[in-house]
Amino acid sequence: MTTQTAFRDVPRLEDPPLLRGRARFVDDIRPAGALHAAFLRSPFAHAAIRSIDASAARALPGVHLVLTAADLNPHLAETHLKVALPSPAFRQTLDRPVLAATEVVHVGEAVAIIVADDRYIAEDALSLIEVDYDPLDAVADCVAALEPGAPTAHQGAPHNLVGDFTLGFGDPDAAFASAAVTVRETLSQHRGVAHSMECRGLVAIPDPIEDKLTVWSSTQTPHVARRMLCDILGLPEDRVRVVTPDVGGGFGPKLVFYPEEAAVAAAARMLGRPVKWIEDRREHFIAATQERDQVWDVELAVDTGGRILGVRGEMIHDHGAWTARGLNVAYGAVSAMPLAYIVPAYRIRSRSAVTNKVPVTPIRGAGQPQGVFAMERLLDRAAQQLGLDRAEIRRRNLVPADRMPYATPLKTRGGMQVVLDSGDYPRCMAEALARADWDGFGQRQSIARAEGRHLGIGVANYVEGTGRGPFEHVSVRLEPSGRIFVATGAAPMGQGTRTMLAQLVAEQLGGDMANVEVSAGDTATSPLGLGGFNSRQAVMAGTSAHVASIKVRDRVLQVAATLLEASEADLEIAGRAVRVTGTGMQVTLAEIARAAAGLPGFALPGGRAGIAAAEEVVIDPMTYANGSCVAEVEVDAGTGNVAITRLSFMHDCGRALHPQIVEGQVLGGIAHGIGNALFEWMGFDDQAQPVTTNLAEYLLMSATEMPHAISIGHLESPTPLNPLGIKGVGESGVIPVAAAIASAVEDALSPFGARMNRVPIAPHDVVAAMLGNAAR
């Protein structure tokens, strides 16, 4: 049953310190005697390491430690990062080393670490290390990597295929044999980088007295980081603490455990002194994980009315040089493709190729924007063939509200059936179209064309699996001071997690959010935790907080009833006290907590000690959010520039805990989606050398590129899967935007017969498409 609660916009707890410059990021952690680390990184995409001479670097004044793999590995219990999510689809194991020993397989791979008095000395010492590299053939293209006879990205590897699976149901071949219309597209989406405002970083602080290690890390998954550090350093978990301070954005790459974290922690223990490493922006380009290149060859079969009969094809995914997470980006893309629609038959083969590029892991959306792009492009093409309105073909195929919950034949990567739990997808699209004045666009377009201007409009739908389980830890405790202490394994990274948890707990315990202290992302205060990713924290941590706070509320009322000699039914919690309704009789939360703490020789109120509850509510099924995006663009036919003039976005994330935060998350995702559609292109040459390694070459979204007219609307279809009725929202905004923009650009250029089959869409791609040439 969904619990009806009075969700509302409340002041965010995170904002005052951020606005006043009092937030504490990892680079603000400055322990006494701290040393600074820098990493020597490979300039080659693929090379054998013949020898390393670090003698000159070791002799530089101010240098305390220089470690190569040969120096470091004897101090490690594990020399490789075993982080791959399990999958039967793996065809080879690619666990990356802490430091490269005999071979480097991408530009930016760490070869040595230097620890010095400051970063300047450490950087100077890097130039003194002499490495004898023997360059090898590099694999730069994921499609070519799978061709027979292709050079291998790793010496001695049998091939470049790292993952191979087929996701499907029904009989697609029969569907195509009986179809009135079939369409086929070859599509590609290029790789990008997360580029959060704060790059990665950590401070490792050893305690030689207790032989413990505290690591302050800009990570989305502190408990995972602790487990990895324990495995690699050979330490029990009670000797390692990982703390996440304020995090200046995550977007996926910070959920990954990196070689630098292990190397810095090991160096700190070896030296017995704190060691800090803060990633610079160039390192972020060549060492932080990226997401995808994907090439799709896909077909859609429909009947004469435009109803989908089947989808089939294949997708090749660039895995990068190492397995830094798993096959989840490829799986997310293929499984997201059909979700919004009734698809009777489906078969997509996905092959992941090893290349000599930065390893690939999720970035906001984790493959789902790419799967949606493929489906929406096919629907546009089918609409053209049938002479149907692009919105109409979607309306005929969207899963209708009266079919909810809708059990699909798909399964999650954990083997659970995908069941769309709630939603009204046709209504969501209809309201997005109404906001965009879709029906009136034809007139606007005709007027513009008469003036020599090229306007276009496009629409795309998405369904996102959110709230990935199985749990997130939250404990709620009433302290003797009367303060309410909340601890969670959830890891905030700017999305308002502390506000969300304080709001939910305060709702049950007096309504005073100022009386709630939240500790998030600290392994010392939470025994368990999975962290922040996959739009999960409100669903998983929020549910645990809600259930735990109800238990604490019941206990507070039980103790208060004893102290006030009243019935629990006559009590209410208001602010920091419990009072008998309609009277002046009350007892403070501090008095209640102290009574429950007990006195020697006196009976405990209610017969048990303390007022606390800890929860790890297990929710295995994912809850599915949905939405629709309509983009209107103007294309300059002379320069190829695309300007978004209007964007309408309707979404449904179940009940909105904090509508203002929800809207902010959607708006941020839209900005990210526009970047994916028009700007963000991580370039590599044919030798896998990166060619976009600064923010002048790699174009990010800024305020000037955001459309002035953005309309965001909210629907609420509470999910039955958790007591709050909520779904995740952190990634929703990004998922349909590139597909809608590509559709709009193609519509604007319809007089030229242009086809937009790849993103990002650069101006020269537009000009090439107008001329009938292949895009970049």
Side-chain angles (χ1 to χ4, degrees), residues 404-459:
M404 295 295 179
Y406 179 70
T408 79
L410 291 169
K411 291 187 177 181
T412 68
R413 65 173 185 249
M416 290 170 279
Q417 185 178 17
V418 172
V419 178
L420 307 180
D421 44 310
S422 66
D424 189 337
Y425 302 171
R427 179 188 169 198
C428 197
M429 186 181 74
E431 295 205 15
L433 295 170
R435 284 172 175 263
D437 187 23
W438 178 274
D439 292 339
F441 176 75
Q443 183 178 5
R444 298 198 301 278
Q445 188 179 52
S446 297
I447 293 171
R449 284 181 179 173
E451 298 170 349
R453 296 163 49 232
H454 299 276
L455 299 186
I457 197 168
V459 60

Side-chain angles (χ1 to χ4, degrees), residues 8-9 17 34 51 58 110 159 235 282 329 337 348 375 385 421 451 453 456 515 531 558 586 597 652 719 763:
R8 63 197 187 282
D9 291 332
S51 64
R58 291 189 173 102
H159 47 68
L235 295 173
R282 178 177 170 80
V329 174
M337 185 182 181
I348 301 289
M375 189 70 188
Q385 292 287 333
D421 44 310
E451 298 170 349
R453 296 163 49 232
N515 194 39
Q558 180 190 50
Q586 69 171 32
D652 185 341
T719 176

Side-chain angles (χ1 to χ4, degrees), residues 439-649:
D439 292 339
F441 176 75
Q443 183 178 5
R444 298 198 301 278
Q445 188 179 52
S446 297
I447 293 171
R449 284 181 179 173
E451 298 170 349
R453 296 163 49 232
H454 299 276
L455 299 186
I457 197 168
V459 60
N461 296 297
Y462 75 92
V463 172
E464 181 200 5
T466 73
R468 188 176 297 279
F471 74 93
E472 191 55 75
H473 171 87
V474 177
S475 62
V476 180
R477 183 174 71 245
L478 181 60
E479 301 278 11
S481 64
R483 297 268 297 169
I484 300 162
F485 182 77
V486 179
T488 180
M493 47 195 153
Q495 72 278 58
T497 299
R498 286 186 172 88
T499 298
M500 177 267 293
L501 292 173
Q503 184 177 5
L504 287 171
V505 172
E507 185 176 74
Q508 301 298 327
L509 295 169
D512 184 0
M513 287 179 58
N515 194 39
V516 180
E517 179 183 348
V518 179
S519 172
D522 185 346
T523 63
T525 60
S526 294
L528 298 169
L530 295 179
F533 52 90
N534 205 162
S535 303
R536 70 182 302 272
Q537 304 214 96
V539 175
M540 301 308 301
T543 297
S544 291
H546 175 70
V547 173
S549 59
I550 289 175
K551 291 184 176 179
V552 170
R553 174 187 174 86
D554 291 344
R555 175 70 173 139
V556 165
L557 293 176
Q558 180 190 50
V559 176
T562 301
L563 297 178
L564 291 169
E565 298 181 350
S567 168
E568 291 181 36
D570 295 331
L571 302 180
E572 61 180 358
I573 307 175
R576 304 187 186 192
V578 177
R579 65 191 180 201
V580 179
T581 306
T583 75
M585 297 174 59
Q586 69 171 32
V587 62
T588 67
L589 292 180
E591 291 169 327
I592 293 169
R594 290 172 185 176
L599 290 171
F602 290 84
L604 284 165
R608 59 190 177 96
I611 301 180
E615 284 292 332
E616 295 97 19
V617 177
V618 174
I619 306 175
D620 287 324
M622 299 182 74
T623 177
Y624 290 85
N626 74 280
S628 302
C629 177
V630 182
E632 187 172 324
V633 305
E634 181 168 349
V635 180
D636 187 319
T639 66
N641 183 66
V642 176
I644 304 168
T645 57
R646 188 174 181 177
L647 193 142
S648 301
F649 199 105

Side-chain angles (χ1 to χ4, degrees), residues 54-292:
S55 57
R58 291 189 173 102
L60 186 69
V63 170
H64 292 257
L65 190 66
V66 180
L67 297 173
T68 65
D71 306 309
L72 178 60
N73 287 353
H75 297 271
L76 305 179
E78 295 277 359
T79 60
H80 287 68
L81 279 57
K82 298 179 180 179
V83 296
L85 296 172
S87 172
F90 276 116
R91 297 296 177 263
Q92 54 181 305
T93 300
L94 294 173
D95 297 332
R96 55 178 167 170
V98 175
L99 292 175
T102 60
E103 179 185 19
V104 289
V105 290
H106 70 86
V107 172
E109 186 168 15
V111 175
I113 178 176
I114 290 180
V115 181
D117 286 335
D118 58 44
R119 182 67 177 258
Y120 301 99
I121 295 173
E123 294 278 0
D124 289 343
L126 293 179
S127 64
L128 300 177
I129 300 177
E130 295 184 4
V131 184
D132 182 7
Y133 291 106
D134 184 5
L136 301 169
D137 289 336
V139 178
D141 179 83
C142 60
V143 176
L146 298 181
E147 294 294 331
T152 56
H154 289 254
Q155 279 187 304
H159 47 68
N160 291 317
L161 181 65
V162 67
D164 189 349
F165 65 86
T166 298
L167 202 62
F169 50 83
D171 188 345
D173 296 335
F176 275 80
S178 65
V181 171
T182 65
V183 293
R184 182 172 183 172
E185 282 291 308
T186 299
L187 307 164
S188 63
Q189 303 109 0
H190 202 58
R191 69 163 52 204
V193 190
H195 286 302
S196 50
M197 291 179 68
E198 179 201 33
C199 292
R200 296 181 293 134
L202 73 153
V203 181
I205 307 171
D207 181 347
I209 296 175
E210 295 187 340
D211 194 23
K212 291 186 177 181
L213 179 71
T214 297
V215 175
W216 294 81
S217 176
S218 179
T219 179
Q220 298 172 223
T221 54
H223 285 81
V224 172
R226 180 181 65 174
R227 186 175 68 247
M228 290 300 303
L229 286 169
C230 291
D231 290 346
I232 291 170
L233 300 178
L235 295 173
E237 291 196 347
D238 65 343
R239 302 253 293 279
V240 178
R241 176 191 180 195
V242 176
V243 193
T244 301
D246 291 307
V247 175
F251 305 121
K254 289 183 182 178
L255 72 86
V256 180
F257 186 83
Y258 286 89
E260 292 93 341
E261 295 173 87
V264 169
R269 280 180 53 81
M270 293 168 67
L271 290 167
R273 291 180 61 177
V275 177
K276 174 187 284 192
W277 172 72
I278 302 297
E279 180 185 61
D280 63 32
R281 188 59 63 178
R282 178 177 170 80
E283 286 181 299
H284 189 75
F285 273 103
I286 62 174
T289 57
Q290 301 172 1
E291 187 177 45
R292 64 174 193 277

